[in-house]
């Protein structure tokens, strides 16, 4: 792997660059399931595309490099990536997850890994002193999102990493909301970084994919073994699309974030808005910690309207911003976590962790900030109950 000083250059030239046979500047789509072998028992670099495919390998080398890791792995979705990572654990192992993790991650542990006796506990990972006291002998890993979905809560990566090291636990970070352009958890003591590459890394709402990066060869071997054994790999075409998308990651994110900062400011000054959650606002929970470990506050904003605004009407009144699951695409999307992304979390738990029925989550796109602002302004005023 080549070393480049500047991340912007790494995005374009990192991993495996071009094709050595044709000198094509892009890694081709190796749309093949198998590879001819020289003779039986002879060592082969490529044997079967579940085990390895050159287009996927280019993406895997790229994410490893961007996350400051040694090895990367590409999967058919973020959930497939998380499934592979959680397959490292055994019956009676316990995993601590932060409050407000992605609903699908909670469901995977609660309804699938539960069958195999792998347990989980939900803890407030923003409070590392208490977290430290919660580490029982059966705890084997801590899994966090920072910012966490959907309240954009910030967890101190260095502090949790210290707790994990002290107790010999694996520290797993879902870095979907930030991407390595904004935050690189392996540099803050994480052992494993997971991505739903469906979001900012893909960036155009046209690919479903998952990525994993690690910085330890032994751990890499285990994950490679699981990836090949369970087989949830990403296909060559989608791997190609992701390499292509990642080239513009920093350009896209600069605009995403610039727009998000304007919109967060606008929402915090609007009389209809009860609360804004955005880690880039100075009065946000974890603002200083986020500043220490991330380049900026990202481009996800959540907010709550006062009770005299009809939230159903708000969603119906939006003309530019689409109501949809997912995030991180060039187009602005809005969602209602309580009934959409976090519906798989029981009502009582949702209330406990602050995912109220009035909460709105906005994925700020790269359209004109003024157009997004006007759309929000109109929808808010349409939804006022008079
Ligand atoms: C979307 C998402 C996932 C799941 O990824 P898929 O690609 O949809 O399978 C996991 N974690 C976070 C934070 C997400 O936003």
């Amino acid at each position: 792997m080549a070393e480049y000083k500047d991340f912007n250059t790494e995005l374009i030239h990192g991993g495996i660059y071009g094709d050595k046979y044709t000198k094509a500047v892009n890694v081709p789509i190796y749309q093949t399931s198998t590879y001819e072998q020289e003779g039986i028992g002879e060592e082969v670099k490529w044997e079967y595309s579940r085990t390895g495919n050159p287009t996927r390998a280019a993406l895997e080398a790229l994410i490893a490099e961007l996350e400051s890791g040694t090895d990367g792995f590409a999967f058919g979705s973020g959930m497939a990536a998380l499934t592979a990572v959680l397959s490292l654990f055994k019956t009676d192992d316990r995993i601590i997850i932060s409050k407000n993790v992605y609903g699908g991650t909670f469901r995977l542990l609660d309804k699938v890994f539960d069958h195999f006796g792998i347990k989980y506990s939900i803890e407030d990972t923003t409070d590392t002193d208490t977290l430290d006291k919660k580490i029982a002998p059966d705890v084997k890993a801590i899994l966090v999102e920072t910012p966490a979905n959907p309240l954009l809560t910030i967890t101190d990566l260095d502090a949790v990493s210290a707790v994990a090291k002290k107790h010999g636990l694996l520290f797993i970070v879902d870095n979907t909301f930030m991407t390595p352009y904004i935050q690189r958890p392996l540099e803050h003591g994480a052992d494993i970084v997971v991505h739903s590459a469906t979001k900012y890394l893909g960036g155009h709402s046209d690919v479903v994919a998952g990525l994993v990066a690690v910085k330890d060869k032994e751990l890499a071997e285990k994950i490679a073994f699981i990836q090949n054994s369970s087989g949830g790999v990403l296909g060559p075409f989608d791997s190609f699309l992701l390499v292509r998308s990642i080239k513009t990651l920093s350009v896209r994110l600069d605009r995403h974030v610039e727009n998000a900062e304007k919109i967060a400011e606008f929402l915090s000054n609007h009389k209809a808005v009860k609360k804004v959650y955005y880690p880039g606002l100075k009065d946000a929970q974890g603002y200083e910690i986020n500043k220490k470990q991330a380049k900026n506050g990202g481009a996800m904003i959540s907010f709550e309207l006062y009770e005299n605004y009809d939230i159903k009407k708000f969603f119906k009144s939006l003309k530019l911003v689409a109501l949809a699951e997912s995030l991180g695409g060039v187009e602005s999307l809005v969602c209602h976590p309580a009934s959409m992304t976090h519906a798989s979390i029981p009502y009582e738990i949702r209330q406990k962790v602050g995912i109220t029925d009035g909460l709105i989550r906005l994925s700020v796109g790269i359209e004109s900030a003024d157009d997004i602002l006007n759309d929000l302004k109109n929808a808010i005023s349409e939804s006022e109950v008079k």
Side-chain angles (χ1 to χ4, degrees):
M1 266 183 250
E3 287 279 337
Y4 300 99
K5 282 216 175 63
D6 197 296
F7 191 85
N8 289 301
T9 307
E10 223 172 355
L11 286 172
I12 294 153
H13 294 269
I16 295 161
Y17 184 80
D19 180 44
K20 68 177 179 215
Y21 300 109
T22 62
K23 297 287 176 189
V25 295
N26 291 303
V27 175
I29 303 166
Y30 283 92
Q31 195 70 45
T32 188
S33 60
T34 193
Y35 310 82
E36 188 177 343
Q37 305 188 12
E38 290 299 329
I40 56 166
E42 289 179 36
E43 183 134 351
V44 285
K45 170 123 173 70
W46 308 105
E47 55 182 321
Y48 187 59
S49 279
R50 169 160 37 74
T51 320
N53 173 283
T55 318
R56 195 178 90 218
L59 171 64
E60 293 178 329
L62 183 59
I63 193 63
E65 195 170 321
L66 298 178
E67 284 288 7
S68 302
T70 56
D71 293 81
F73 303 91
F75 295 89
S77 69
M79 292 323 300
L82 279 155
T83 299
V85 168
L86 294 174
S87 301
L88 290 164
F89 302 99
K90 298 189 192 68
T91 303
D92 293 331
D93 285 352
R94 181 180 298 278
I95 295 148
I96 287 181
I97 57 174
S98 51
K99 281 206 284 191
N100 301 334
V101 290
Y102 178 70
T105 306
F106 170 80
R107 179 175 58 194
L108 180 65
L109 281 162
D110 190 57
K111 298 275 194 302
V112 181
F113 279 89
D114 176 64
H115 295 170
F116 310 111
I118 292 169
K119 301 180 191 122
Y120 71 90
S121 311
I122 301 172
E123 300 295 349
D124 180 2
T125 52
T126 66
D127 175 2
T128 35
D129 290 339
T130 310
L131 180 69
D132 184 54
K133 296 189 186 88
K134 295 281 172 76
I135 311 295
D138 63 345
V139 174
K140 294 295 177 321
I142 305 173
L143 191 165
V144 310
E145 289 173 25
T146 179
N149 194 3
L151 295 178
L152 292 320
T153 341
I154 299 300
T155 286
D156 187 330
L157 292 172
D158 295 306
V160 174
S161 154
V163 174
K165 285 220 165 59
K166 180 175 155 195
H167 298 275
L169 316 177
L170 277 181
F171 181 24
I172 307 161
V173 179
D174 182 334
N175 201 28
T176 301
F177 274 35
M178 288 311 219
T179 83
Y181 178 54
I182 300 181
Q183 171 173 277
R184 290 187 281 282
L186 297 181
E187 293 177 5
H188 293 274
D191 299 294
I192 304 177
V193 168
V194 186
H195 280 281
S196 169
T198 313
K199 315 296 167 54
Y200 290 105
L201 293 173
H204 298 73
S205 306
D206 53 8
V207 186
V208 173
L211 294 171
V212 171
V214 299
K215 60 182 181 194
D216 173 82
K217 279 290 171 193
E218 208 178 306
L219 192 53
E221 263 173 45
K222 286 185 190 164
I223 293 177
F225 185 82
I226 292 169
Q227 184 191 39
N228 186 41
S229 303
S230 56
V233 295
L234 191 65
F237 183 60
D238 285 349
S239 297
F240 164 83
L241 281 177
L242 272 180
V243 171
R244 182 186 197 276
S245 291
I246 288 171
K247 290 182 199 290
T248 56
L249 182 70
S250 61
V251 182
R252 284 186 283 113
L253 274 169
D254 283 345
R255 174 72 84 84
H256 275 291
V257 173
E258 186 189 318
N259 283 357
E261 286 171 352
K262 280 185 195 155
I263 290 164
E265 204 56 51
F266 158 79
L267 289 170
S268 13
N269 294 317
H270 198 295
K271 67 173 174 51
V273 179
K274 192 171 171 182
K275 180 123 185 69
V276 181
Y277 300 91
Y278 178 63
L281 288 172
K282 286 203 175 62
D283 58 354
Q285 175 276 340
Y287 172 79
E288 290 298 333
I289 293 164
N290 188 64
K291 224 168 96 177
K292 179 183 72 148
Q293 65 197 21
K295 193 181 170 75
N296 52 52
M300 294 299 298
I301 300 171
S302 289
F303 61 100
E304 253 183 279
L305 296 177
Y306 278 107
E307 287 71 16
N308 58 324
Y309 289 81
D310 179 345
I311 160 151
K312 280 206 170 116
K313 188 107 190 275
F314 168 81
F315 285 113
K316 282 255 187 250
S317 307
L318 289 165
K319 292 190 179 72
L320 173 69
V321 182
L323 174 65
E325 302 258 359
S326 201
L327 60 109
V330 289
E331 62 285 293
S332 295
L333 298 178
V334 76
C335 96
H336 182 234
S339 70
M340 296 168 72
T341 49
H342 291 66
S344 53
I345 300 175
Y347 178 81
E348 299 74 47
I349 299 186
R350 281 207 310 269
Q351 299 315 300
K352 220 173 97 185
V353 298
I355 306 169
T356 62
D357 289 349
L359 191 73
I360 297 163
R361 189 189 79 181
L362 176 66
S363 170
V364 180
I366 65 171
E367 304 96 336
S368 139
D370 286 341
D371 285 342
I372 306 169
L373 279 175
N374 284 332
D375 199 36
L376 292 171
K377 253 186 232 169
N378 279 336
I380 292 174
S381 86
E382 291 281 316
S383 67
E384 187 172 1
V385 183
K386 293 196 176 104

